[in-house]
Amino acid sequence: MNSIIPKYLFCALVVFALLGNSAFAEDTSFRWVQLAYGISLDVPSHWTVFSQDNRRNLGAAGQAITDNAGIKELSGRKESLLAMNAAPNPTGAMIGVSITSPPDYTQNDLAAVTPGDLKEVSAEALGMFRKLEASGGPKIIEMQPVRIEKFNNYRVLVMPYVRTGINGPSPWQVTQYKIPVSNRLIEITLSHRQSDAIVWRPILERVKRSVQF
């Protein structure tokens, strides 16, 4: 009888073939960063961290697109804590962390959400994206189902969607995690180019799992 390689062993062989011997080296690919409001996470050591001025420029651009689209400004004040691009350029993945104070909803609100409510949130988000697109925002290819997950024992509103790429033809997968905590909303945005998902997904999943607040 021919021997059959167990599935788990086959997967391990594929990973080692992709990564070479680096899997056995000392782990220096990630570093721990401490942000404001007690938020911390592991991030890739070699990625480009945006300066405060660059984050402000991104915020100003987002505000301009929102204003031009005629979308009513949210009541809370949004503050960007971290923005990172994967190296090298053109980038294939991004990490963003921001805070909005006060939040528009609470943990109790998320606990009371129904499947119908989630469909309504998804439809409203798509409508907003279409308005932003007409004012210079990215084109949304697909609005994926909005869902609620648990994150560090907190309920999280998860909003995934696919948008067009900026520096190439491949679409980008974007997932926003919105976490109401006491008097603020933590928003973590993880995005990657779909054509290179085999590289970016494991990295972003590790980043997500490392988040503490």
Side-chain angles (χ1 to χ4, degrees):
M1 180 181 296
N2 294 330
S3 62
I4 300 175
I5 299 177
K7 185 177 181 180
Y8 73 89
L9 180 57
F10 176 77
C11 292
L13 291 173
V14 170
V15 170
F16 292 148
L18 288 172
L19 302 182
N21 293 328
S22 63
F24 298 99
E26 181 181 356
D27 184 8
T28 58
S29 300
F30 290 81
R31 63 185 178 89
W32 179 78
V33 295
Q34 178 73 51
L35 306 177
Y37 305 99
I39 301 170
S40 64
L41 67 163
D42 285 337
V43 299
S45 303
H46 61 291
W47 285 22
T48 302
V49 180
F50 284 24
S51 67
Q52 185 178 49
D53 286 340
N54 279 334
R55 297 201 308 272
R56 287 174 175 170
N57 285 335
L58 291 175
Q63 184 63 60
I65 292 173
T66 300
D67 291 344
N68 293 338
I71 296 176
K72 183 179 179 181
E73 185 177 357
L74 297 176
S75 58
R77 181 180 68 88
K78 188 168 185 176
E79 178 184 357
S80 175
L81 304 182
L82 176 70
M84 298 185 70
N85 276 358
N89 288 322
T91 189
M94 300 177 182
I95 300 170
V97 181
S98 65
I99 286 286
T100 300
S101 304
D104 287 334
Y105 46 88
T106 66
Q107 284 290 310
N108 288 337
D109 292 330
L110 293 185
V113 165
T114 66
D117 293 332
L118 293 177
K119 289 182 179 180
E120 185 176 342
V121 169
S122 183
E124 290 178 354
L126 181 58
M128 181 188 68
F129 281 139
R130 293 298 183 219
K131 290 181 180 179
L132 295 174
E133 180 184 327
S135 298
K139 181 179 180 180
I140 303 303
I141 299 173
E142 178 189 4
M143 186 71 202
Q144 298 164 327
V146 176
R147 63 186 187 272
I148 292 180
E149 293 181 357
K150 280 293 191 74
F151 200 128
N152 288 355
N153 293 320
Y154 284 86
R155 292 180 179 86
V156 182
L157 183 66
V158 185
M159 298 183 64
Y161 60 90
V162 180
R163 64 167 174 82
T164 55
I166 298 174
N167 298 312
S170 177
W172 278 59
Q173 174 69 53
V174 182
T175 306
Q176 295 180 338
Y177 300 88
K178 299 174 181 288
I179 315 160
V181 179
S182 62
N183 63 342
R184 54 187 171 269
L185 179 74
I186 301 173
E187 184 174 310
I188 302 168
T189 303
L190 305 177
S191 52
H192 67 272
R193 191 168 50 226
Q194 287 186 334
S195 61
D196 305 326
I198 193 172
V199 174
W200 305 123
R201 280 180 182 169
I203 295 174
L204 295 180
E205 180 63 21
R206 168 160 175 175
V207 171
K208 174 192 169 186
R209 291 176 179 271
S210 73
V211 175
Q212 298 292 326
F213 50 84

